[in-house]
Amino acid sequence: VEGANADFSPANGCNIINTGFIATGAGVLVINTGPSKRYGEQLRALIAKTTREPVMQVIHLNLHPDYFLGNQAFADVPRLATDATRAGMAREAKAYEDNLYRLCGDWMKGTEARLPTATLGPGPLRIGQREFELRELRGHTDSDLVLQDKASGVLFAGGLVFVQRV
């Protein structure tokens, strides 16, 4: 789900991140939940419209607010991030909420940070019929996860790759 190639603003609802989901045969893996409760709810509705598989798990690729402030819509499933990302989210969540409210106004109504419920690290991950590889790098943040879906070759690079942006 492609975000705007722009800065946070009311015009784009703070939606400047690419999120994604993969139906695995056993359930849906969600990659990042977006910048707000509203975005997360819309993402969850899109998933339900796209597949009958239940959402099984969320993975956050880094600690930035547009990667996890949509978690309220995924409160019923495990939400995972690296130890460093989880600690950074806990440390910065209030400041992120305040800043995005300031930048995007009403788009952020009702948004409250929900942190990951568990941690994960680099290595192989199998869900249903899909195999993934997780790599932890540093660059955009101190802990950037990169997720590759081995079946399709799709790579979720998070904030490590910006095209015509920075």
Side-chain angles (χ1 to χ4, degrees), residues 1-135:
V1 181
E2 188 175 348
N5 190 7
D7 293 328
F8 291 130
S9 74
N12 60 36
C14 279
N15 175 19
I16 65 167
I17 183 177
N18 297 336
T19 60
F21 60 92
I22 299 171
T24 69
V28 175
L29 172 64
V30 178
I31 299 93
N32 302 319
T33 60
S36 66
K37 176 184 177 196
R38 184 175 180 180
Y39 182 98
E41 291 168 348
Q42 291 173 344
L43 178 60
R44 190 89 188 235
L46 176 63
I47 293 167
K49 192 174 172 181
T50 304
T51 180
R52 291 181 183 262
E53 292 184 28
V55 174
M56 295 286 292
Q57 179 173 305
V58 170
I59 292 180
H60 298 293
L61 300 182
N62 75 43
L63 63 85
H64 287 154
D66 44 337
Y67 287 66
F68 79 97
L69 285 180
N71 277 356
Q72 285 169 284
F74 298 91
D76 61 326
V77 297
R79 299 175 309 277
L80 299 101
T82 65
D83 285 327
T85 291
R86 195 167 184 235
M89 288 173 171
R91 184 181 62 246
E92 302 294 338
K94 179 65 176 133
Y96 286 156
E97 286 176 13
D98 292 346
N99 195 38
L100 264 62
Y101 272 98
R102 182 181 58 78
L103 291 170
C104 295
D106 286 346
W107 287 99
M108 302 304 295
K109 275 186 181 173
T111 300
E112 296 175 2
R114 296 254 173 112
L115 298 177
T117 55
T119 58
L120 83 162
L125 174 68
R126 184 174 182 90
I127 302 174
Q129 301 162 356
R130 300 303 271 265
E131 291 183 32
F132 305 96
E133 182 68 31
L134 290 162
R135 294 185 189 99

